[in-house]
Amino acid sequence: MTEITDPNVEARIDALLKGAIDPHVHSGPSIAPRGIDHVTLLRQASQAGFAAVVTKDHDYSGVMTAELIRQHFPELKTKIYSSIVLNNVVGGLNPYAVEHTAALGGRIVWLPTLAAANHLRWQASANWVHPASTDRMRPVTAIPVLNDDKSVRDDMKEIIDIVARNDMVLASGHLHVSETWVIFEEAQRRGVKRLVFTHPEDIVDASLNDVKGIAAMGAFVEHSLCMFLDGCKFKSREAEDLRDQIEAAGVEQTMLCSDLGQTGTFSPLDGFRRGIRLCMDLGYDDDQIRKMVSGNTARALGIEADVATARAS
């Protein structure tokens, strides 16, 4: 991908960033090295005209921090939301932690990531350890979401019910795609309206048929731009793979995130800019890109009003 040098292209990207939403940002503080903190993230996003960002940490619910930032930085117009990831540090499948996150305005409940059995298998084969791994505190114990007979565990059902009651998003995290199918089907039976399939391009062993089928059930499919960008240390796929993924789900069910905030690579804002340029190079028009970086994500999160406010300002 060529560098952004054409002023006309930069102006198009600037316009597409107005009202954008990054639903998956690894800003700090964190036990993993982070290149940007939550306040700096929000300042940069506000300057670019983003409607909202959603912070994600593998080890804690960020809703308290988000509320503090909302109270003390009212001049920052981008809305900040946060989430919880059901890893060991929050007690795994802990309904109390999910209820607390909901009560403080959290929008996303991520199923296990670093503590998913699938992630631990993938990590062993990749010969790599995530810098936020809690091995430094105690060995990571895999958190099962299904029973031995592949039915959904009762504690997982309780969490699904909390997500449904509070109209939150249930995101698949680093579960194996076979587990995601079972959980998502149970979630829909129990009234969850907002489902997000996390980066099918890596870790979760999903096929394009899985992407197509999960999108057909009404879930949004979220792609991590960092995995497609030249020069990013997380790149694992080519531009054409992103096109294949988008075409499998359809533009209407696709949402793009940076999945950035770490040290040694692009900032979330820079990653978003580069991701938009990549979509342009793939032939998507501005209306299609706007859906994938703003409109679809707003629908998934239930924050359409934030986008309307950002575009009007």
Side-chain angles (χ1 to χ4, degrees):
M1 188 179 77
T2 57
E3 292 296 321
I4 300 170
T5 55
D6 186 336
N8 294 324
V9 172
E10 291 195 46
R12 285 177 63 195
I13 293 173
D14 287 342
L16 287 166
L17 288 175
K18 195 174 178 64
I21 302 168
D22 192 342
H24 187 152
V25 192
H26 289 291
S27 45
S30 173
I31 64 170
R34 295 300 182 223
I36 190 171
D37 63 37
H38 304 319
V39 175
T40 305
L41 167 71
L42 202 62
R43 283 178 174 147
Q44 292 182 1
S46 293
Q47 187 172 11
F50 274 63
V53 295
V54 183
T55 64
K56 175 186 179 185
D57 192 273
H58 292 291
D59 290 313
Y60 67 87
S61 169
V63 290
M64 299 79 74
T65 301
E67 179 60 27
L68 196 63
I69 292 170
R70 282 193 289 268
Q71 290 179 13
H72 288 276
F73 297 90
E75 73 278 8
L76 300 178
K77 301 306 181 185
T78 298
K79 297 292 183 65
I80 183 169
Y81 298 96
S82 197
S83 58
I84 188 170
V85 185
L86 300 181
N87 286 329
N88 303 95
V89 178
V90 301
L93 301 186
N94 182 353
Y96 300 101
V98 176
E99 286 182 330
H100 180 269
T101 298
L104 273 174
R107 293 305 305 144
I108 303 177
V109 176
W110 304 84
L111 295 171
T113 56
L114 307 187
N118 175 69
H119 176 94
L120 295 173
R121 288 191 298 268
W122 170 84
Q123 181 174 276
S125 65
N127 195 28
W128 175 80
V129 177
H130 194 283
S133 170
T134 54
D135 278 346
R136 66 185 69 184
M137 291 178 268
R138 61 180 64 227
V140 176
T141 301
I143 297 172
V145 295
L146 304 180
N147 296 308
D148 290 342
D149 64 359
K150 305 305 179 184
S151 62
V152 179
R153 289 170 53 104
D154 287 344
D155 47 4
M156 185 69 250
K157 290 178 181 178
E158 187 174 359
I159 286 168
I160 288 171
D161 290 344
I162 296 167
V163 170
R165 270 199 314 274
N166 290 279
D167 197 27
M168 300 169 81
V169 174
L170 186 67
S172 61
H174 292 189
L175 298 186
H176 190 271
V177 64
S178 62
E179 298 171 303
T180 295
W181 274 107
V182 177
I183 295 293
F184 277 12
E185 288 168 352
E186 181 70 22
Q188 286 192 325
R189 283 193 291 269
R190 304 181 84 87
V192 173
K193 304 299 184 186
R194 306 181 188 280
L195 298 170
V196 170
F197 186 25
T198 309
H199 52 57
E201 54 269 4
D202 209 356
I203 302 176
V204 304
D205 200 26
S207 68
L208 291 177
N209 280 337
D210 287 316
V211 171
K212 183 176 181 179
I214 289 175
M217 71 186 298
F220 288 91
V221 181
E222 178 192 80
H223 299 295
S224 296
L225 290 169
C226 65
M227 297 178 182
F228 300 94
L229 298 179
D230 289 338
C232 181
K233 68 180 182 179
F234 299 114
K235 184 181 180 186
S236 60
R237 299 293 182 269
E238 298 301 324
E240 293 73 18
D241 296 317
L242 179 58
R243 179 193 288 115
D244 291 343
Q245 293 280 347
I246 293 171
E247 295 308 304
V251 167
E252 299 292 336
Q253 293 302 122
T254 296
M255 46 192 281
L256 303 178
C257 69
S258 71
D259 202 352
L260 288 166
Q262 308 86 347
T263 58
T265 190
F266 310 130
S267 71
L269 177 57
D270 191 14
F272 235 70
R273 292 188 69 88
R274 291 168 182 265
I276 289 173
R277 175 60 187 265
L278 176 59
C279 289
M280 290 177 177
D281 290 346
L282 289 173
Y284 293 101
D285 63 35
D286 288 7
D287 286 343
Q288 292 172 314
I289 296 171
R290 189 170 286 109
K291 288 178 181 178
M292 294 188 287
V293 303
S294 179
N296 295 345
T297 311
R299 287 195 293 128
L301 297 173
I303 58 171
E304 293 91 337
D306 291 349
V307 172
T309 299
R311 290 181 182 167
S313 61

